[in-house]
Amino acid sequence: MIADFSDNEIAPKAEQLDESQGLPTDTISQLGELGMLGLTIPQQHGGAELDLLSACLVVEEISRCCGSTGVVLATHLFEGTAAIMNLADDAGHQRWLPKMATGETLATFALAEVEAESDASGITCAVGQEPDGYSLHGKKTWVIAGAMAGLVTVVARNGEESRADHRLSGPWLVRQVDGRWRSRAHIAILTAYVGPPSSGPVAEERLE
């Protein structure tokens, strides 16, 4: 099924997608309808609950025809979805995983910064505790499908720690709300409120 879909639906659009530097919005929506965005998600939350190797084979088949589409899917499955599955509590699973399985919410991952690139020890995006929650401030670049994503796992530094500490407080979840967080295909400028403190690092948030 996936091979036929890749050949018939993805391959014909790949060249135009590359030339326009666009995002595979329609294709990702179709993959959601096919259940491909929930490959690794437990069945109880609407996913297929496949093993990692099987999910990798699906991503590989899609990437055969369009690398960009494959990367968006891989990031959703292996970064965004994995963060919720491994770090969120039961309430977080119930809130996010069903939407991620259907494609209603696309997830991505924000680590890289212009100066630090992908060196996690050099990032400056920071989170600080407030009386009723947490504040998250910084700039991330090369956020895969940032303009499409409804949920971003952000790696940030504790505001009280120096860069020499090599310690990170993330991941944190930033949810897109009415387009109010400024995002382009490759850059996300984060100014967010995350809380309450009792929710821990993986928490619901609202943007200020």
Side-chain angles (χ1 to χ4, degrees):
M1 178 182 73
I2 293 302
D4 291 340
F5 180 81
S6 294
D7 290 333
N8 299 327
E9 300 294 335
I10 297 179
K13 305 174 184 177
E15 183 176 356
Q16 189 276 332
L17 188 67
D18 284 344
E19 291 179 350
S20 65
Q21 298 184 23
L23 293 168
T25 307
D26 293 340
T27 302
I28 293 298
S29 178
Q30 290 177 291
L31 288 171
E33 294 173 0
L34 292 173
M36 296 301 104
L37 297 186
L39 291 176
T40 58
I41 293 175
Q43 293 182 5
Q44 69 186 86
H45 296 298
E49 201 168 346
L50 294 184
D51 60 89
L52 184 59
L53 176 58
S54 298
C56 287
L57 291 174
V58 172
V59 172
E60 181 180 41
E61 187 61 35
I62 290 170
S63 300
R64 175 177 62 84
C65 292
C66 179
S68 297
T69 303
V71 167
V72 172
L73 177 60
T75 303
H76 171 83
L77 292 175
F78 307 138
E79 302 288 357
T81 298
I84 299 294
M85 289 176 56
N86 296 327
L87 300 173
D89 57 15
D90 289 341
H93 290 168
Q94 294 173 13
R95 178 187 177 109
W96 293 110
L97 293 180
K99 296 178 181 180
M100 296 166 79
T102 62
E104 179 182 348
T105 296
L106 183 70
T108 189
F109 176 74
L111 166 64
E113 298 179 3
V114 173
E115 293 187 4
E117 298 185 347
S118 297
D119 177 9
S121 67
I123 65 172
T124 59
C125 182
V127 61
Q129 189 166 349
E130 306 291 344
D132 59 347
Y134 295 87
S135 60
L136 178 65
H137 301 277
K139 296 181 181 181
K140 295 293 184 180
T141 188
W142 307 306
V143 180
I144 295 171
M148 295 171 57
L151 186 68
V152 183
T153 302
V154 180
V155 177
R157 181 173 300 283
N158 189 315
E160 298 177 355
E161 298 169 353
S162 69
R163 291 177 61 175
D165 289 330
H166 294 281
R167 291 178 294 173
L168 303 176
S169 61
W172 294 78
L173 301 184
V174 176
R175 177 169 53 92
Q176 183 171 353
V177 180
D178 300 327
R180 291 172 59 194
W181 72 293
R182 293 175 288 168
S183 174
R184 297 189 293 276
H186 304 293
I187 300 259
I189 302 174
L190 308 173
T191 302
Y193 171 89
V194 187
S198 59
S199 300
V202 180
E204 177 187 355
E205 63 78 40
R206 67 177 183 272
L207 294 184
E208 302 288 47

